[in-house]
Amino acid sequence: NSPGNVTNRGHEWAHGFGVRVGWFGKLSDSVNVGAAYSTKIYMTEFDKYKGLFAEDGDFDMPENYNVGIAFKVSPKLTIAADYQRINYSEVKSVGNSQVNLGPCFFGGNRASCLGGPSGAGFGWNDVNVFKIGFEYQYNQRWTLRAGYDHTDNPIKGSDIDFNILAPGVVQDHVTFGFTYKTSTNGELTFAYMHAFNHGVTAPTFLNAFVPPGVSAGSASIKMYQNAVGIAYGWRM
C-alpha cells in the first residue's frame, strides 16, 4: 500500500499510552499472592514503515495479565509460581497471518496488502506462560535464586516466512542469580538467563506462486538466547 515505506527507512519512533493495575495480598506469614492486568498499550504509527506493518504502521503492545503465589516453605527458602497470558492476536501487526496476502496477490484486495488493515503480520497466537522460581537466603549476605519458564510457541508453520524478521520460537528458559549485600548497605545482584534452542520448519509461502506439482521448498527458523544482568544498589 505504501511501497516507499517498507524497508531501509532508518530509525523510527512511536509513543503511546496504556494502563496497568495490580494487587498484592498477604494471606499469612508464609503465603503471598498477587495479580496484575495491563491493557493494550496504544501506540502511534510508525510512519516510515506504514507500508510494512498492518493498519498503516500501527504496532500496539498486547494486552496481558498474570497471577502469582509465593510460599515461604522455611525461614530460608521461598518458592514462587506465576501464570501469564499475552494476547498477541489482538494486535493486527503481530496477530494477522501472512496468508492474508493471498487476496492481495490474487484478487487485488488492497486491504490485504502490506500496510492494509488486513495486511500480513507475524501471525502470532496468544500464549500462556508458566514460571516457577526459588529463592534461598543462604546467610545475611548471600541470597541465591533459580527459575524455570515455559511458554507456548506463538508461531505457526503457515507464518514461517514473515517470522524470519522475528523468530520468537523459544519456549523453555532457565535463570540463575544471586544478590550479595556488602558491609556498607550496598547490594550487588547478578542474573543469567538461557533460552534453549527451538525451531520451526514448514513449507514456504512461495509455494503459492509455483505450478501444481512443483515445490518451492521449506523454510526453517530457530533461536536460542543468553542474557546477563548486573545491578548495584545501596540504601541511603
Side-chain angles (χ1 to χ4, degrees):
N1 279 318
S2 183
N5 295 287
V6 177
T7 187
N8 292 330
R9 297 283 284 126
H11 292 92
E12 176 63 306
W13 299 89
H15 57 274
F17 68 92
V19 175
R20 184 170 180 83
V21 295
W23 170 81
F24 177 82
K26 191 175 183 66
L27 300 185
S28 70
D29 290 339
S30 58
V31 180
N32 297 325
V33 294
Y37 170 76
S38 177
T39 67
K40 181 190 292 185
I41 299 179
Y42 297 89
M43 305 296 295
T44 56
E45 288 80 9
F46 288 120
D47 291 330
K48 291 183 180 180
Y49 294 94
K50 64 182 180 180
L52 174 63
F53 298 124
E55 298 183 299
D56 295 321
D58 193 30
F59 208 115
D60 298 331
M61 298 183 184
E63 172 195 52
N64 63 88
Y65 54 86
N66 58 285
V67 294
I69 187 168
F71 298 94
K72 194 172 184 65
V73 297
S74 75
K76 290 182 175 290
L77 178 62
T78 299
I79 301 176
D82 187 86
Y83 165 77
Q84 184 179 34
R85 175 77 172 183
I86 307 174
N87 294 325
Y88 289 120
S89 65
E90 295 179 359
V91 178
K92 291 187 176 181
S93 291
V94 179
N96 282 1
S97 174
Q98 70 180 32
V99 301
N100 288 18
L101 289 172
C104 171
F105 289 144
F106 303 114
N109 184 349
R110 290 289 299 275
S112 295
C113 296
L114 286 175
S118 300
F122 296 102
W124 282 27
N125 293 319
D126 300 338
V127 298
N128 301 298
V129 185
F130 301 91
K131 303 177 184 179
I132 187 168
F134 304 87
E135 181 180 84
Y136 183 71
Q137 188 75 43
Y138 181 71
N139 56 34
Q140 291 185 344
R141 292 193 182 277
W142 289 93
T143 301
L144 310 178
R145 301 182 183 89
Y148 169 74
D149 169 312
H150 177 78
T151 182
D152 299 329
N153 172 18
I155 297 174
K156 303 183 293 291
S158 58
D159 289 288
I160 195 167
D161 300 86
F162 215 75
N163 278 283
I164 291 172
L165 300 174
V169 292
V170 292
Q171 292 188 270
D172 297 290
H173 312 66
V174 292
T175 56
F176 303 95
F178 65 81
T179 295
Y180 174 73
K181 293 184 179 180
T182 70
S183 58
T184 57
N185 290 326
E187 290 187 349
L188 174 65
T189 297
F190 171 85
Y192 168 74
M193 183 278 294
H194 176 71
F196 292 95
N197 189 26
H198 188 258
V200 173
T201 298
T204 174
F205 185 67
L206 297 175
N207 283 288
F209 301 93
V210 298
V214 177
S215 174
S218 298
S220 296
I221 56 174
K222 62 180 180 179
M223 176 185 283
Y224 68 89
Q225 293 179 322
N226 292 286
V228 174
I230 300 175
Y232 183 80
W234 60 93
R235 298 181 183 275
M236 303 296 292

